[in-house]
PDB file of all heavy atoms in Angstrom:
ATOM      1  N   LYS A  26     -34.086 -11.480  13.303  1.00 94.00           N
ATOM      2  CA  LYS A  26     -32.860 -10.699  13.453  1.00 94.00           C
ATOM      3  C   LYS A  26     -31.622 -11.562  13.732  1.00 94.00           C
ATOM      4  O   LYS A  26     -30.557 -11.334  13.146  1.00 94.00           O
ATOM      5  CB  LYS A  26     -33.076  -9.688  14.593  1.00 94.00           C
ATOM      6  CG  LYS A  26     -32.034  -8.640  14.715  1.00 94.00           C
ATOM      7  CD  LYS A  26     -32.453  -7.574  15.694  1.00 94.00           C
ATOM      8  CE  LYS A  26     -32.920  -8.158  17.012  1.00 94.00           C
ATOM      9  NZ  LYS A  26     -33.222  -7.152  18.020  1.00 94.00           N
ATOM     10  N   SER A  45     -24.143  -7.165  24.828  1.00 98.00           N
ATOM     11  CA  SER A  45     -24.787  -6.353  25.865  1.00 98.00           C
ATOM     12  C   SER A  45     -24.784  -7.047  27.222  1.00 98.00           C
ATOM     13  O   SER A  45     -24.637  -8.265  27.301  1.00 98.00           O
ATOM     14  CB  SER A  45     -26.242  -6.080  25.484  1.00 98.00           C
ATOM     15  OG  SER A  45     -26.326  -5.308  24.328  1.00 98.00           O
ATOM     16  N   ARG A  49     -31.847 -10.145  32.365  1.00 97.00           N
ATOM     17  CA  ARG A  49     -32.849 -11.197  32.123  1.00 97.00           C
ATOM     18  C   ARG A  49     -32.189 -12.579  32.238  1.00 97.00           C
ATOM     19  O   ARG A  49     -30.997 -12.724  31.989  1.00 97.00           O
ATOM     20  CB  ARG A  49     -33.546 -11.001  30.770  1.00 97.00           C
ATOM     21  CG  ARG A  49     -32.899 -11.665  29.593  1.00 97.00           C
ATOM     22  CD  ARG A  49     -33.916 -12.135  28.574  1.00 97.00           C
ATOM     23  NE  ARG A  49     -33.332 -12.275  27.249  1.00 97.00           N
ATOM     24  CZ  ARG A  49     -32.512 -13.255  26.889  1.00 97.00           C
ATOM     25  NH1 ARG A  49     -32.096 -14.159  27.766  1.00 97.00           N
ATOM     26  NH2 ARG A  49     -32.068 -13.316  25.650  1.00 97.00           N
ATOM     27  N   TYR A  61     -24.902 -12.627  25.627  1.00 97.00           N
ATOM     28  CA  TYR A  61     -25.022 -11.513  26.581  1.00 97.00           C
ATOM     29  C   TYR A  61     -24.044 -11.748  27.710  1.00 97.00           C
ATOM     30  O   TYR A  61     -23.566 -12.866  27.888  1.00 97.00           O
ATOM     31  CB  TYR A  61     -26.430 -11.487  27.214  1.00 97.00           C
ATOM     32  CG  TYR A  61     -27.535 -10.949  26.331  1.00 97.00           C
ATOM     33  CD1 TYR A  61     -28.453 -11.813  25.739  1.00 97.00           C
ATOM     34  CD2 TYR A  61     -27.684  -9.587  26.110  1.00 97.00           C
ATOM     35  CE1 TYR A  61     -29.480 -11.337  24.935  1.00 97.00           C
ATOM     36  CE2 TYR A  61     -28.706  -9.091  25.313  1.00 97.00           C
ATOM     37  CZ  TYR A  61     -29.599  -9.971  24.732  1.00 97.00           C
ATOM     38  OH  TYR A  61     -30.604  -9.481  23.926  1.00 97.00           O
ATOM     39  N   GLU A  80     -25.384   3.239  26.473  1.00 98.00           N
ATOM     40  CA  GLU A  80     -26.829   3.415  26.645  1.00 98.00           C
ATOM     41  C   GLU A  80     -27.323   2.219  27.429  1.00 98.00           C
ATOM     42  O   GLU A  80     -26.720   1.155  27.407  1.00 98.00           O
ATOM     43  CB  GLU A  80     -27.551   3.526  25.296  1.00 98.00           C
ATOM     44  CG  GLU A  80     -27.511   2.292  24.402  1.00 98.00           C
ATOM     45  CD  GLU A  80     -28.461   1.170  24.805  1.00 98.00           C
ATOM     46  OE1 GLU A  80     -29.552   1.462  25.291  1.00 98.00           O
ATOM     47  OE2 GLU A  80     -28.083  -0.013  24.647  1.00 98.00           O
ATOM     48  N   TYR A  89     -31.105  -3.847  30.002  1.00 98.00           N
ATOM     49  CA  TYR A  89     -30.124  -4.179  28.965  1.00 98.00           C
ATOM     50  C   TYR A  89     -29.200  -2.980  28.801  1.00 98.00           C
ATOM     51  O   TYR A  89     -29.672  -1.840  28.810  1.00 98.00           O
ATOM     52  CB  TYR A  89     -30.802  -4.414  27.614  1.00 98.00           C
ATOM     53  CG  TYR A  89     -31.682  -5.637  27.525  1.00 98.00           C
ATOM     54  CD1 TYR A  89     -32.979  -5.621  28.033  1.00 98.00           C
ATOM     55  CD2 TYR A  89     -31.219  -6.801  26.923  1.00 98.00           C
ATOM     56  CE1 TYR A  89     -33.787  -6.746  27.942  1.00 98.00           C
ATOM     57  CE2 TYR A  89     -32.028  -7.927  26.810  1.00 98.00           C
ATOM     58  CZ  TYR A  89     -33.319  -7.885  27.336  1.00 98.00           C
ATOM     59  OH  TYR A  89     -34.117  -9.000  27.238  1.00 98.00           O
ATOM     60  N   GLY A  90     -27.897  -3.211  28.618  1.00 98.00           N
ATOM     61  CA  GLY A  90     -26.977  -2.097  28.428  1.00 98.00           C
ATOM     62  C   GLY A  90     -25.875  -2.426  27.442  1.00 98.00           C
ATOM     63  O   GLY A  90     -25.369  -3.556  27.401  1.00 98.00           O
ATOM     64  N   ASP A 109     -27.144  -4.992  18.328  1.00 97.00           N
ATOM     65  CA  ASP A 109     -28.493  -5.542  18.254  1.00 97.00           C
ATOM     66  C   ASP A 109     -29.246  -4.981  19.452  1.00 97.00           C
ATOM     67  O   ASP A 109     -29.206  -5.552  20.539  1.00 97.00           O
ATOM     68  CB  ASP A 109     -28.360  -7.072  18.297  1.00 97.00           C
ATOM     69  CG  ASP A 109     -29.676  -7.781  18.579  1.00 97.00           C
ATOM     70  OD1 ASP A 109     -30.701  -7.108  18.790  1.00 97.00           O
ATOM     71  OD2 ASP A 109     -29.668  -9.020  18.598  1.00 97.00           O
ATOM     72  N   ASP A 111     -32.679  -2.239  20.984  1.00 94.00           N
ATOM     73  CA  ASP A 111     -34.055  -1.835  20.691  1.00 94.00           C
ATOM     74  C   ASP A 111     -34.134  -0.352  20.288  1.00 94.00           C
ATOM     75  O   ASP A 111     -33.108   0.322  20.185  1.00 94.00           O
ATOM     76  CB  ASP A 111     -34.956  -2.138  21.894  1.00 94.00           C
ATOM     77  CG  ASP A 111     -34.889  -1.046  22.940  1.00 94.00           C
ATOM     78  OD1 ASP A 111     -33.812  -0.433  23.085  1.00 94.00           O
ATOM     79  OD2 ASP A 111     -35.914  -0.789  23.601  1.00 94.00           O
TER      80      ASP A 111
HETATM   81  P1  5GP B   1     -33.851 -10.605  23.941  1.00 92.58           P
HETATM   82  O1  5GP B   1     -34.088 -10.620  25.405  1.00 92.58           O
HETATM   83  O2  5GP B   1     -34.965 -11.248  23.170  1.00 92.58           O
HETATM   84  O3  5GP B   1     -32.490 -11.129  23.564  1.00 92.58           O
HETATM   85  O4  5GP B   1     -33.819  -9.075  23.491  1.00 92.58           O
HETATM   86  C1  5GP B   1     -34.907  -8.264  23.723  1.00 92.58           C
HETATM   87  C2  5GP B   1     -34.691  -6.914  23.098  1.00 92.58           C
HETATM   88  O5  5GP B   1     -33.668  -6.200  23.780  1.00 92.58           O
HETATM   89  C3  5GP B   1     -34.275  -6.948  21.644  1.00 92.58           C
HETATM   90  O6  5GP B   1     -35.067  -6.023  20.938  1.00 92.58           O
HETATM   91  C4  5GP B   1     -32.836  -6.515  21.662  1.00 92.58           C
HETATM   92  O7  5GP B   1     -32.475  -5.846  20.486  1.00 92.58           O
HETATM   93  C5  5GP B   1     -32.849  -5.565  22.849  1.00 92.58           C
HETATM   94  N1  5GP B   1     -31.513  -5.356  23.413  1.00 92.58           N
HETATM   95  C6  5GP B   1     -30.516  -6.262  23.561  1.00 92.58           C
HETATM   96  N2  5GP B   1     -29.436  -5.698  24.105  1.00 92.58           N
HETATM   97  C7  5GP B   1     -29.738  -4.390  24.294  1.00 92.58           C
HETATM   98  C8  5GP B   1     -29.011  -3.279  24.816  1.00 92.58           C
HETATM   99  O8  5GP B   1     -27.863  -3.354  25.222  1.00 92.58           O
HETATM  100  N3  5GP B   1     -29.656  -2.080  24.844  1.00 92.58           N
HETATM  101  C9  5GP B   1     -30.935  -1.935  24.398  1.00 92.58           C
HETATM  102  N4  5GP B   1     -31.466  -0.708  24.461  1.00 92.58           N
HETATM  103  N5  5GP B   1     -31.643  -2.953  23.903  1.00 92.58           N
HETATM  104  C10 5GP B   1     -31.059  -4.176  23.870  1.00 92.58           C
END
Side-chain angles (χ1 to χ4, degrees):
K26 191 170 50 175
S45 296
R49 89 146 157 74
Y61 284 105
E80 65 77 35
Y89 293 80
D109 166 358
D111 83 328

